[in-house]
Amino acid sequence: MQSNEPDGTAAAGVSHATGERVFLDAGGRAPVLPQARAAFLEALDQGWGDPRRLHAEGRRARALLDGAREAIAAVVGARTDEVGFAGSHVAALHGAVLSVARGRRRVGADVVVPAVERAAVLAAADFVAARGDGTRRTVPVDATGRADLDAFRDAVARPGVVLAAMQHANGEVGTLQPVGDAHDAARAAGVPLLVDAGASLGHTEVGTDWDLLAADPGDWGAPGGLGVLVARTAVRRTPDWPEDDDRWFPGGAWVPAALAAAVALQLAVATSRADDAALRPLVERVRAAVPASVPDVDVVGDPERRLPHVVTFSCLYVDGEALVTALDRHGFAVGSGSACTSSALEPSHVLAAMGALTHGNIRIGLHRGVSAADVERFLAVLPGVVADVRGTAGVHGL
Amino acid sequence: MVVDARGLRCPAPVIRLARAAADAPAGAELTVLATDPAAVHDVPAWARMRGHQMVSATEDGGVHALTVRLGGGSAS
């Protein structure tokens, strides 16, 4: 009986299930919403069958999968059969770029991408361009990370462009992109537009200015292990991989992950206005407080036209790995785009494209489980942590 | 003046450059040599934050040579 304690009661007074820790790295992998967890477990019980089979167990799984598809279609304003489930957000983006490039291969092999698109989009663009003797046409961004619309218009209007991409918002720095104008330009050129809403859907209004829309359930509080790609029926696509019953993502989706994604999305969208109202002031607080309390900080991203839950800054002369590790010791989980914090040798291509400092970077992704008091505790700890790291490096006065 | 930061990882090249800048007069040109690709982005960002000016950025065999001209408030 004691194990049946309902969610929340045991954690009363604590910000979330991890006790005293404050999780501030919700981008791409947010804490799983209790309702999504419940839906996931329910689907494990009810929908473990193979949705391709014709028996009752298979049909039950199929019904849950169809329901998930329908719910997501309703949220994004699409037809149910336009919604596809991939094994990950990266797989959804790769599948989008590869299938359109193959479907439109007679047009050419150029792909237009802003410099701050997700690495999966840039890599897929390079891949199809190299294979088809095309070019990845990279659109520059301004200091806030916003794509240069004139350059985008010029690039997309050239002959030989199979696909253009424009993220809805940048998940590293929070800047919203001009997807409406980008869609107009792409449409005028007869080029389909892939909008990566991996950092936006569930947090802010995504709209319908897209031909293909990719989204990341892990980002809106569903368990990971799933990606979503919505492709308008009118977009010419061809599978660029072996034939399968599940044409666009061979092997099909895992039903519990799909159902949990749909339930979490409905909830995230229903509460997005309230979450925005709660989190945006916290982001503004961080943006104002950090430069006031920590010397030599570069706060990056557009101050106004931005996601409500993402805030990023870089501290001069500081090793990003040392910062992340020190904050972790103090109970705060944060992200970073600094090279030293990832397995990659290259620093964040987003920060680099913006001309921002790439070292000493801290990226905060808020979620509904973060309170104003959590943020104040973080802000109280941060100046000392930065000063300690700088003290060790002997950079005071530089 | 040349600051050799080859083989050092970020943010060490920028720190070396800043140390050299602290002892140099306004208007002086400093070149930092670095193999860490982050320096290519971080030296111009540092220059912007400190009011210095980027003069040139070249690369030869994996070694980046980044040259800045120090602004008026270089020592601060």
Side-chain angles (χ1 to χ4, degrees):
Chain A
M1 281 301 130
Q2 63 199 35
S3 64
N4 258 351
E5 204 160 23
D7 276 326
T9 53
V14 176
S15 58
H16 46 80
T18 46
E20 290 303 315
R21 288 188 58 79
V22 178
F23 187 76
L24 300 175
D25 189 18
R29 201 54 65 92
V32 174
L33 296 170
Q35 295 88 338
R37 181 178 181 276
F40 184 85
L41 295 176
E42 179 72 11
L44 272 182
D45 289 340
Q46 302 295 325
W48 49 266
D50 182 346
R52 301 180 187 207
R53 307 291 171 90
L54 298 179
H55 44 59
E57 290 77 8
R59 291 200 308 275
R60 208 160 58 212
R62 164 63 60 187
L64 292 177
L65 189 60
D66 289 346
R69 217 183 287 277
E70 201 176 320
I72 290 172
V75 167
V76 302
R79 288 168 34 171
T80 303
D81 61 0
E82 292 176 327
V83 176
F85 292 122
S88 66
H89 188 50
V90 167
L93 293 168
H94 286 178
V97 175
L98 263 70
S99 62
V100 173
R102 180 147 173 83
R104 287 170 45 80
R105 62 191 179 281
R106 284 187 186 81
V107 173
D110 289 3
V111 183
V112 174
V113 286
V116 296
E117 288 295 307
R118 217 172 279 259
V121 173
L122 300 180
D126 284 337
F127 182 84
V128 299
R131 200 170 53 176
D133 250 349
T135 307
R136 187 236 277 187
R137 301 202 177 277
T138 307
V139 175
V141 299
D142 65 17
T144 71
R146 181 170 288 100
D148 181 335
L149 254 183
D150 288 335
F152 181 88
R153 286 195 189 99
D154 285 350
V156 85
R158 289 172 181 234
V161 177
V162 282
L163 176 70
M166 176 79 77
Q167 62 196 186
H168 184 270
N170 187 278
E172 273 191 51
V173 301
T175 300
L176 294 174
Q177 299 291 356
V179 286
D181 291 326
H183 194 226
D184 288 344
R187 194 159 36 191
V191 173
L193 181 72
L194 165 63
V195 170
D196 174 8
S200 298
L201 191 62
H203 302 284
T204 195
E205 183 58 47
V206 164
T208 54
D209 291 315
W210 46 268
D211 300 302
L212 303 108
L213 181 77
D216 184 1
D219 189 74
W220 66 66
L226 190 79
V228 173
L229 180 68
V230 190
R232 298 289 188 205
T233 314
V235 177
R236 180 183 285 273
R237 292 197 296 157
T238 305
D240 194 19
W241 41 80
E243 190 72 35
D244 187 79
D245 285 351
D246 287 287
R247 199 166 178 230
W248 301 114
F249 296 102
W254 194 34
V255 174
L259 188 73
V263 167
L265 181 59
Q266 287 178 322
L267 190 74
V269 168
T271 62
S272 62
R273 202 163 286 183
D275 291 339
D276 187 310
L279 300 182
R280 196 175 291 272
L282 302 184
V283 165
E284 280 165 15
R285 169 79 178 128
V286 171
R287 287 181 65 95
V290 169
S293 61
V294 181
D296 291 325
V297 167
D298 211 8
V299 179
V300 298
D302 192 292
E304 308 275 330
R305 291 177 292 175
R306 57 180 302 101
L307 289 171
H309 65 297
V310 174
V311 53
T312 309
F313 52 89
S314 296
C315 307
L316 189 60
Y317 305 138
V318 175
D319 175 2
E321 183 178 0
L323 268 187
V324 170
T325 308
L327 286 167
D328 190 54
R329 265 201 309 273
H330 282 85
F332 299 96
V334 300
S336 174
S338 296
C340 352
T341 60
S342 68
S343 53
L345 187 64
E346 294 285 335
S348 156
H349 67 282
V350 173
L351 298 173
M354 295 166 60
L357 208 58
T358 73
H359 68 243
N361 181 252
I362 291 182
R363 184 182 62 230
I364 290 172
L366 301 176
H367 54 93
R368 52 162 55 187
V370 178
S371 67
D374 291 334
V375 169
E376 292 306 323
R377 278 214 297 133
F378 171 77
L379 291 172
V381 163
L382 180 72
V385 167
V386 176
D388 281 352
V389 176
R390 282 179 174 158
T392 307
V395 297
H396 282 299
L398 290 184
Chain B
M1 184 183 172
V2 175
V3 177
D4 188 356
R6 288 175 295 178
L8 300 178
R9 297 198 62 187
C10 70
V14 172
I15 293 174
R16 290 266 172 114
L17 179 58
R19 285 211 179 99
D23 300 327
E29 284 193 6
L30 298 180
T31 298
V32 60
L33 302 178
T35 46
D36 188 326
V40 177
H41 313 291
D42 287 350
V43 169
W46 168 80
R48 167 174 58 74
M49 291 171 82
R50 281 288 180 269
H52 307 316
Q53 197 186 346
M54 279 304 293
V55 176
S56 66
T58 59
E59 191 254 321
D60 184 17
V63 178
H64 301 277
L66 303 146
T67 303
V68 296
R69 185 180 300 117
L70 301 186
S74 66
S76 63

